[in-house]
């Protein structure tokens, strides 16, 4: 099979990504760098991803500014459904005060009446700007920041927020996450040379000029902030940024140790100002102690002017549409929306009041019959994993029994678990204009988050909106959330064949269930507690050896554009979940016809046309392999695929038996 690595927009077809391990021929090597060679007729034995998706990819066109097109699922369907909900409710009346419909109706009507361009800056926002401008000490700045967190929903300057305790999963813990960028420049961009420190200086100077007339003073302060940002960046563990889901980085520290790290501030007082009951906070979960120490070192009064600029920039970023029209310096940072006011109002409600549209979305577009079919499929997949794990004799019987307990403990969270809120608890969400309603909604939600800290957590309460197109496994809860939005074709179609659905949403569910046993989440025991020692040393070593084989399989056999190797280490968790999922769902098939339906829809759901640069970025930073690799790499190591399509040596999908890998066999 010929392999060509063209350097034009070949990724628009995603056909230049190498599938399998056949090396390019001499003819391919002679191809011009500026040409894309003609591809012959697609064969399932050579490139299954292309075989299934070629026509869709050829027909797909990029929208302006987009890096992908031709996705298997049309997101416009969900958008249209949500727009229908908002417009229907907006045209109605006499809703119960505090109900979802009441809030949506008010938000729509008040947005329609609000003139963002010509309305005065809300008095409280102007007061915040003045407070920041007049601040002279770090203590004052953090008092202001606490107010912004509590009353305006701005992320804490210290990145403090409640999170699930990975070591005690039924409890919340105060978490300190990383700072990943400053004033519009991400540390990833800085590291990769895609952005310069001048971005921080320029953005900071613009912000400062809203309060400072002397441009030389603004320039000096902006430069100071840029140097502080470099100090933080230099102390940042970039591995954590690249792999945020790696729980090895999340460590619990006693409160007194964290307070020592933040020796320049009153951390407990700061949290009390936000409204937290600090008697409930006796430890913190952090992932980058070095960055915390660097942050503490800059929190001194000598840096107050630069830190004020940073805080003001963060505040402007969240409330710019109310503020920017009154500052010529900021007008260039407001995107022009050419949609009608009605369209803007609908989009606003969908974006800012999604928790209100969500239960209505479930009621309209998710049926008990769909839920029953979905949960039944989940049970089938769980049964498939029971057989796989039971037969994995390369693990000790003790470990297999524990894994089966963990599997049995997995619960499903679906649209049936969504409940409406109590309207009586939302009567405070009100206002005479859109800004007042919006800010009262923000404050209500922030107050709920703060006051609920310390309450026990539920494994079956949705932590994801059902109108989002997604599914996920949470290791601490040992649960799988499957949203209503993903129960649409081609992932799931009530009128489709069972095995088609099994290759679609079934593969997704099996993938998420497989995460319970991937290289990362297997470190959580059957009760959702992060405890790597729960796997006996001998079995852990066996797992590590198999991990190494999987890393080599992906890195040695799958190259994109003839240059970029898939990072087998970075993508191991996701690849392993895919591998186990395919072994599981194929075990549920009895005939070649069933397998073909499964394989076809599996390839179909990953259809996506992507730009070269986006794929290169994905290979560099994403824990997921590119779509073509996710399909071809998994099928190239699946024995059932070889049997169904008669794949043999010399075919593009062929991998020698001794080089194939397995998750459970």
């Amino acid at each position: 099979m010929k392999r060509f690595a063209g350097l034009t927009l070949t990724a628009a077809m995603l056909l230049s990504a190498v599938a399998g391990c056949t090396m390019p021929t001499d003819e391919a090597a002679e191809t011009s760098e500026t040409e894309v060679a003609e591809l012959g007729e697609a064969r399932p034995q050579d490139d299954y991803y292309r075989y299934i998706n070629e026509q869709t990819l050829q027909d797909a066109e990029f929208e302006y500014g987009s890096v992908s097109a031709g996705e298997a699922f049309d997101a416009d369907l969900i958008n249209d459904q949500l727009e229908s909900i908002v417009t229907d409710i907006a045209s109605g009346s006499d809703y119960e005060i505090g109900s979802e419909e009441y809030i949506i109706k008010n938000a729509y009507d008040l947005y329609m009446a609000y003139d963002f361009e010509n309305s005065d800056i809300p008095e409280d926002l102007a007061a915040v700007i003045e407070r920041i401008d007049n601040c002279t000490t770090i203590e004052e700045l953090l008092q202001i920041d606490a107010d912004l967190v509590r009353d305006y929903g701005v992320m804490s300057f210290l990145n403090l927020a409640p999170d699930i305790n990975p070591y005690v999963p039924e409890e919340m813990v105060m978490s300190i996450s990383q700072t990943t960028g400053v004033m519009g420049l991400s540390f990833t961009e800085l590291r990769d040379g895609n952005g310069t420190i001048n971005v921080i200086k320029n953005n900071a100077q613009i912000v400062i000029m809203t309060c400072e007339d002397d441009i030389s003073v603004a320039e000096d302060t902006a430069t100071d902030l840029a140097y502080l940002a470099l100090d933080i960046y230099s102390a940042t563990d970039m591995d954590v940024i690249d792999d945020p889901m790696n729980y090895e980085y999340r460590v619990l520290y006693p409160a007194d140790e964290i307070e020592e790290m933040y020796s320049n501030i009153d951390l407990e007082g700061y949290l009390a100002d936000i409204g937290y009951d600090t008697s409930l906070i006796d430890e913190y979960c952090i992932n980058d102690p070095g960055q915390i120490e660097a942050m503490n070192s800059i929190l001194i009064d000598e840096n107050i002017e630069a830190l004020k600029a940073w805080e003001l920039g963060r505040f402007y970023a969240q409330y710019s549409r109310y503020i920017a029209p009154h500052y010529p310096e900021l007008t260039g940072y407001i995107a022009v929306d050419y949609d009608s006011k009605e369209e803007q109002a609908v989009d606003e409600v969908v974006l800012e009041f999604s928790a209100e549209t969500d239960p209505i979305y479930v009621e309209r577009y998710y049926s008990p019959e769909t839920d029953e079919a979905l949960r039944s499929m989940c049970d089938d997949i769980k049964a498939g994993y029971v057989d796989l794990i039971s037969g994995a004799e390369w693990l000790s019987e003790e470990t297999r029994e524990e894994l089966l307990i963990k599997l049995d403990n997995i619960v499903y969270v679906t649209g049936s678990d969504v409940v409406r809120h109590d309207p009586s608890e939302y009567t405070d969400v009100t206002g005479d204009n859109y800004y007042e309603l919006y800010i009262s909604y923000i404050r209500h939600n922030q107050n709920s988050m703060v006051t609920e800290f310390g309450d026990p957590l539920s494994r079956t309460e949705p932590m994801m909106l059902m109108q989002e197109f997604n599914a996920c496994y949470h290791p601490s809860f040992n649960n799988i959330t499957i949203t209503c939005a993903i129960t649409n074709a081609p992932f799931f179609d009530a009128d489709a064949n069972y095995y088609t659905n099994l290759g679609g949403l079934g593969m997704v569910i099996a993938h998420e269930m497989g995460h319970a046993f991937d290289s990362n989440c297997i470190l959580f025991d059957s009760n959702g507690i992060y405890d790597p020692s729960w796997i006996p040393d001998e079995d852990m070593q066996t797992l590590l050896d198999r991990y190494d084989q999987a890393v080599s399989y992906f890195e040695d056999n799958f190259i994109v554009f003839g240059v970029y190797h898939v990072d087998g280490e970075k993508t191991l968790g996701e690849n392993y979940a895919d591998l186990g999922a395919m072994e599981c769902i194929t075990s549920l098939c009895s005939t070649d016809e069933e397998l073909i339906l499964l394989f076809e829809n599996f390839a179909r759901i990953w259809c996506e046309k992507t730009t070269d640069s986006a794929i290169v970025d994905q290979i560099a930073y994403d824990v997921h392999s590119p779509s073509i690799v996710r399909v071809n790499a998994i099928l190239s190591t699946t024995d059932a695929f070889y049997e169904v399509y008669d794949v043999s040596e010399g075919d593009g999908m062929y991998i020698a038996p001794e080089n194939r890998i397995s998750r459970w066999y």
Side-chain angles (χ1 to χ4, degrees), residues 488-532:
N488 282 291
F491 286 80
F492 186 88
D493 185 346
D495 297 325
N497 181 280
Y498 174 82
Y499 296 96
T500 297
N501 285 334
L502 191 62
L505 186 53
M507 178 65 186
V508 175
I509 294 167
H511 170 97
E512 298 306 333
M513 202 173 294
H515 270 309
F517 314 104
D518 71 16
S519 56
N520 188 21
C521 297
I522 201 170
L523 302 178
F524 290 75
D525 68 15
S526 56
N527 294 312
I529 298 171
Y530 181 75
D531 178 17

Side-chain angles (χ1 to χ4, degrees), residues 32 47 58 68 147-148 181 221 227 243 330 362 383 419 453 472 529 556 562 570 611 615 621 634:
S32 167
D47 183 344
Q58 286 179 344
S68 63
D147 292 346
L148 295 184
T221 303
Y227 284 127
D243 193 6
L330 300 177
V362 173
V419 296
F453 182 80
C472 74
I529 298 171
D556 295 346
K570 184 186 297 292
T611 61
I615 294 178
Y621 307 118
I634 296 301

Side-chain angles (χ1 to χ4, degrees), residues 518-586:
D518 71 16
S519 56
N520 188 21
C521 297
I522 201 170
L523 302 178
F524 290 75
D525 68 15
S526 56
N527 294 312
I529 298 171
Y530 181 75
D531 178 17
S533 67
W534 84 294
I535 301 291
D537 291 343
E538 184 176 347
D539 284 333
M540 181 57 74
Q541 187 56 54
T542 301
L543 287 168
L544 291 174
D545 292 342
R546 291 172 74 98
Y547 296 164
D548 290 341
Q549 294 170 13
V551 168
S552 297
Y553 173 79
F554 280 88
E555 291 186 346
D556 295 346
N557 296 312
F558 301 95
I559 306 171
V560 178
F561 307 142
V563 177
Y564 301 103
H565 290 256
V566 173
D567 188 332
E569 193 76 42
K570 184 186 297 292
T571 58
L572 178 60
E574 294 297 327
N575 291 338
Y576 237 35
D578 278 345
L579 183 60
M582 182 56 67
E583 291 176 348
C584 177
I585 61 175
T586 53

Side-chain angles (χ1 to χ4, degrees), residues 185-207:
L185 178 66
S186 74
F187 290 159
T188 299
E189 291 174 313
L190 189 59
R191 175 191 61 187
D192 299 335
N194 296 327
T196 71
I197 203 70
N198 286 330
V199 172
I200 296 176
K201 293 170 63 175
N202 294 339
N203 288 343
Q205 186 173 324
I206 290 170
V207 167

Side-chain angles (χ1 to χ4, degrees), residues 162-165 168-174 280 452-455 457:
D163 199 357
I164 299 164
N165 188 334
V168 189
E170 65 273 10
E171 295 180 358
M172 298 290 282
V173 66
M174 190 57 65
L280 301 174
E452 290 171 5
F453 182 80
D455 292 352
L457 299 174

